[in-house]
C-alpha cells in the first residue's frame, strides 16, 4: 500500500470531525474569545477551514514563504468566519482540492523536501509527508480541539470525535 492510500482514511475521518465541529459554531459568538491573547471564535473557525488550503500548497509547491505571499493568497489575510455556512463551505472546498492531490501523489512526491518560512525564519524543513502531518493534519486536529473548548465554554454541545463526548453518546 502506498503512502497516499495509507493516509486517505485518516484524512477523511479527521476532516469529517473538523466539519462536525465547525457545524456547531454559534454565529452569535463569533467575536467571543476566552482570553485577551486568544483568537476569536470566528478567527479560530476560519483558521480550521483554511488549513486544508495550506495542504494544497504543500502538495503543489516545494516551499511556502509567508513573506512572499501576495494579497488574496493563503496566508496573506486571516480568514474569519462570517457564519457556519461560510466556514463549512470553505472547509469542504479546501478538503476536496487537497484530497485529490493526496490521492494522486506518488510515494516519491511524499518523500520530497518541503519548507515553511517567513523570510529568513524557518518554521519547518523536512519531507512533504512530515509537512502534511505536522503543518496540516496535526495543526487542524490541534485547533479543532481548541474549538471544542470554545464550544464547551459557550454551552454548545461538543461533537463526538474519537468516541463519545459528554454531549453525544456515539
Amino acid at each position: 500500500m502506498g503512502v497516499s492510500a495509507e493516509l486517505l482514511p485518516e484524512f477523511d475521518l479527521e476532516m469529517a470531525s473538523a466539519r462536525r465541529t465547525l457545524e456547531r459554531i454559534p454565529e452569535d459568538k463569533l467575536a467571543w474569545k476566552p482570553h485577551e491573547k486568544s483568537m476569536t471564535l470566528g478567527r479560530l473557525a476560519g483558521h480550521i477551514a483554511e488549513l486544508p488550503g495550506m495542504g494544497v500548497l504543500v502538495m503543489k509547491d516545494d516551499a511556502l514563504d509567508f513573506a512572499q505571499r501576495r494579497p488574496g493568497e493563503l496566508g496573506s489575510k486571516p480568514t474569519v468566519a462570517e457564519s457556519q455556512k461560510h466556514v463549512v463551505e470553505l472547509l469542504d472546498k479546501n478538503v476536496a482540492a487537497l484530497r485529490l492531490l493526496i490521492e494522486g501523489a506518488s510515494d516519491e512526491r511524499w518523500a520530497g523536501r518541503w519548507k515553511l518560512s517567513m523570510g529568513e525564519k524557518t518554521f519547518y524543513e523536512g519531507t512533504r509527508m512530515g509537512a502534511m502531518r505536522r503543518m496540516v493534519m496535526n495543526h487542524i486536529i490541534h485547533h479543532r480541539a481548541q474549538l471544542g473548548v470554545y464550544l464547551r465554554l459557550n454551552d454548545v454541545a461538543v461533537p463526538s470525535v474519537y468516541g463519545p463526548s459528554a454531549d453525544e453518546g456515539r
Side-chain angles (χ1 to χ4, degrees), residues 9 27 31-32 40 58 61 70-71 76 79 84 89 108 131 149 155 169:
E27 293 182 336
W32 182 88
T40 65
V58 168
D61 301 324
R70 294 182 296 269
S76 64
T79 301
Q84 286 176 356
E89 286 178 354
E108 293 75 27
V149 173
D155 295 319

Side-chain angles (χ1 to χ4, degrees), residues 63-103:
L64 172 58
D65 182 350
F66 281 120
Q68 301 296 318
R69 303 310 291 168
R70 294 182 296 269
E73 292 181 321
L74 179 74
S76 64
K77 182 179 179 230
T79 301
V80 179
E82 298 165 10
S83 65
Q84 286 176 356
K85 182 179 188 237
H86 169 233
V87 290
V88 169
E89 286 178 354
L90 179 59
L91 179 79
D92 288 348
K93 176 184 144 228
N94 286 333
V95 165
L98 179 53
R99 192 178 198 293
L100 284 174
L101 293 169
I102 291 171
E103 205 170 38

Side-chain angles (χ1 to χ4, degrees), residues 20-159:
R20 281 195 308 278
T21 305
L22 289 175
E23 288 172 339
R24 304 284 175 98
I25 65 169
E27 293 182 336
D28 63 334
K29 301 278 188 181
L30 296 178
W32 182 88
K33 57 185 180 176
H35 187 273
E36 66 184 49
K37 292 181 181 179
S38 300
M39 285 187 257
T40 65
L41 191 149
R43 172 62 188 125
L44 180 57
H47 190 47
I48 293 165
E50 72 191 357
L51 278 169
M54 182 175 175
V56 169
L57 298 177
V58 168
M59 298 309 293
K60 285 186 170 183
D61 301 324
D62 293 328
L64 172 58
D65 182 350
F66 281 120
Q68 301 296 318
R69 303 310 291 168
R70 294 182 296 269
E73 292 181 321
L74 179 74
S76 64
K77 182 179 179 230
T79 301
V80 179
E82 298 165 10
S83 65
Q84 286 176 356
K85 182 179 188 237
H86 169 233
V87 290
V88 169
E89 286 178 354
L90 179 59
L91 179 79
D92 288 348
K93 176 184 144 228
N94 286 333
V95 165
L98 179 53
R99 192 178 198 293
L100 284 174
L101 293 169
I102 291 171
E103 205 170 38
S106 67
D107 287 357
E108 293 75 27
R109 184 78 178 148
W110 285 113
R113 305 298 292 172
W114 197 82
K115 180 179 177 180
L116 176 66
S117 62
M118 183 173 293
E120 297 298 314
K121 182 165 177 70
T122 298
F123 299 108
Y124 174 84
E125 190 166 11
T127 65
R128 182 167 277 101
M129 182 54 164
M132 184 62 67
R133 286 267 187 219
R134 180 164 175 73
M135 307 309 299
V136 180
M137 296 280 291
N138 294 354
H139 199 161
I140 292 168
I141 293 164
H142 161 76
H143 285 304
R144 183 188 68 219
Q146 185 181 11
L147 183 57
V149 173
Y150 279 41
L151 295 177
R152 174 68 66 229
L153 292 173
N154 280 283
D155 295 319
V156 175
V158 176

